[in-house]
Amino acid sequence: MSKMINKPLLLTYLYLFIYILLSSGVILYNKWVLSPKYFNFPLPITLTMIHMGFSGAVAFFLVRVFKVATPVKMTFEIYATCVIPISAFFASSLWFGNTAYLHISVAFIQMLKALMPVATFIMAVMCGTDKARCDVFLNMLLVSVGVVISSYGEIHFNVVGTLYQVTGIFAEALRLVLTQVLLQKKGLTLNPITSLYYIAPCSFVFLFIPWFLLEKPAIEVSQIQFNFWIFFSNALCALALNFSIFLVIGRTGAVTIRVAGVLKDWILIALSTVIFPESTITGLNIIGYAIALCGVVMYNYIKVKDSASQLPAEGLPDRIAKDWKLEKKSSDIFVPNNSSDISGGTGSAIETFGDEEAPLMPSARLSYLGRTQLGKPNI
């Protein structure tokens, strides 16, 4: 009996390990490819287009040839009002996020990503999906102060790189809010394969315009090295990250996902300083990031409390304990064709995975505690 319980649990932790490994690996790999000091391929839009083209092609074969997933009933109206705007902001967030790698370190980028809840809250209030609240505002202020302190302590602070990253964060926040508003309104349900099937090609088209204006001339006049295996493995890792998120969401609860997200960020910051020695971390960096993280944790607690208050009366600690028990019983509960298990966003679902190559992530079985941000790949 114990073997039957332990095997699914072991599998769950294996999926979490794979997610953390792939998410960190893709970010570090992108930095290595783009950095002039290493592989020296300073063309972030081109790299992003390779990712989108590869992901879209694989999704097409999985949907149309191998029939692994069934396409949704997509009308021109839904495509024009939902897929196109979501793809536009998805492409923008990837473009700006990847460009930031040319100017600032991976460690500092991860610290700036603590602003994600702030950006999401601002966009949600502007779009009318959330209300301005004093307690949340104070948490957002704490996060912002922490990021400012961390930025002040950054030795190699670069205004251009910081602006690129912050712009990418706000583009991603708007994409998350639009995903919730537009897809919920249309009742559209997409899993990772069908989301890539529709969104990756559209994002590719959007990226073509800035690529043609900004990077095509540079490719023509300079000798850029192109190694097929480097770019193929890089795109493959980005695609694998999508499916690892899919596996993690299907088998874990919100508590574990929150812990995994924080753990991944700290591991990534530590690893980046080892792999890229030029990215030095100061004491002020750590203090600022710790303050910002406190604000993020408090914000998550407020959202969890709000979710719990909408359910039958029961203590929050009891609910969290039940969530852990539910995770320990976790097995292949996820049913891809069940619209109640896959949604564009529900309630607090807009604080979802922050991984850049994941255009739409299903809510799956994140229990009653809702979803959280796992730290947006930049990919």
Side-chain angles (χ1 to χ4, degrees), residues 343-356:
S343 66
T346 55
S348 62
I350 52 175
E351 299 112 80
T352 184
F353 285 79
D355 293 273
E356 289 79 353

Side-chain angles (χ1 to χ4, degrees), residues 30-48 50 102 211 215 219 224-227 230-231:
N30 284 345
K31 171 67 175 178
W32 181 82
V33 169
L34 293 167
S35 178
K37 293 183 179 179
Y38 297 94
F39 187 71
N40 192 23
F41 186 80
L43 303 169
I45 304 175
T46 306
L47 183 67
T48 309
I50 291 170
L102 297 174
W211 175 82
E215 293 189 359
I219 293 172
I224 302 293
Q225 59 174 326
F226 189 92
N227 185 310
I230 292 288
F231 291 104

Side-chain angles (χ1 to χ4, degrees), residues 267-324:
I267 288 172
L268 193 49
I269 289 170
L271 274 177
S272 67
T273 58
V274 175
I275 297 170
F276 307 110
E278 68 276 7
S279 56
T280 310
I281 296 178
T282 65
L284 212 52
N285 279 146
I286 298 298
I287 291 169
Y289 186 59
I291 291 171
L293 202 60
C294 286
V296 172
V297 169
M298 289 167 66
Y299 171 73
N300 282 335
Y301 179 78
I302 288 172
K303 301 302 283 186
V304 168
K305 195 167 67 172
D306 288 347
S307 298
S309 66
Q310 295 170 6
L311 296 158
E314 188 175 1
L316 185 59
D318 293 335
R319 292 198 177 281
I320 294 174
K322 277 189 177 183
D323 193 58
W324 278 107

Side-chain angles (χ1 to χ4, degrees), residues 99-349:
T99 305
Y101 287 127
L102 297 174
H103 305 281
I104 54 180
S105 67
V106 170
F108 186 48
I109 284 173
Q110 291 306 118
M111 293 175 190
L112 288 175
K113 283 180 185 177
L115 284 172
M116 192 65 202
V118 179
T120 306
F121 176 67
I122 291 170
M123 292 303 174
V125 171
M126 287 174 64
C127 293
T129 61
D130 207 343
K131 293 179 181 178
R133 292 166 46 182
C134 186
D135 54 350
V136 176
F137 175 76
L138 290 174
N139 280 326
M140 298 301 97
L141 191 64
L142 184 63
V143 172
S144 302
V145 168
V147 171
V148 169
I149 292 171
S150 183
S151 302
Y152 184 77
E154 177 64 18
I155 293 175
H156 305 293
F157 182 80
N158 182 286
V159 176
V160 174
T162 303
L163 285 174
Y164 268 119
Q165 183 59 41
V166 172
T167 306
I169 288 169
F170 274 89
E172 170 63 5
L174 188 52
R175 192 270 298 180
L176 290 173
V177 175
L178 283 177
T179 298
Q180 184 191 27
V181 173
L182 298 177
L183 295 187
Q184 268 194 333
K185 189 183 291 184
K186 303 292 181 182
L188 201 63
T189 59
L190 299 172
N191 61 39
I193 297 173
T194 51
S195 66
L196 283 174
Y197 175 73
Y198 291 109
I199 290 174
C202 193
S203 296
F204 182 92
V205 172
F206 272 106
L207 289 167
F208 180 81
I209 300 167
W211 175 82
F212 186 83
L213 296 173
L214 301 174
E215 293 189 359
K216 184 177 178 289
I219 293 172
E220 290 173 348
V221 298
S222 60
Q223 291 186 344
I224 302 293
Q225 59 174 326
F226 189 92
N227 185 310
F228 171 80
W229 294 109
I230 292 288
F231 291 104
F232 175 74
S233 59
N234 185 254
L236 193 62
C237 287
L239 182 67
L241 175 60
N242 261 294
F243 297 122
S244 74
I245 295 173
F246 179 65
L247 292 172
V248 168
I249 286 180
R251 300 188 67 93
T252 64
V255 177
T256 299
I257 286 177
R258 282 178 167 84
V259 173
V262 173
L263 181 63
K264 187 213 75 172
D265 286 342
W266 283 108
I267 288 172
L268 193 49
I269 289 170
L271 274 177
S272 67
T273 58
V274 175
I275 297 170
F276 307 110
E278 68 276 7
S279 56
T280 310
I281 296 178
T282 65
L284 212 52
N285 279 146
I286 298 298
I287 291 169
Y289 186 59
I291 291 171
L293 202 60
C294 286
V296 172
V297 169
M298 289 167 66
Y299 171 73
N300 282 335
Y301 179 78
I302 288 172
K303 301 302 283 186
V304 168
K305 195 167 67 172
D306 288 347
S307 298
S309 66
Q310 295 170 6
L311 296 158
E314 188 175 1
L316 185 59
D318 293 335
R319 292 198 177 281
I320 294 174
K322 277 189 177 183
D323 193 58
W324 278 107
K325 287 177 185 176
L326 188 61
E327 290 173 31
K328 289 185 179 181
K329 294 177 185 175
S330 177
S331 58
D332 295 315
I333 298 173
F334 186 70
V335 183
N337 293 322
N338 188 334
S339 62
S340 66
D341 285 341
I342 305 176
S343 66
T346 55
S348 62

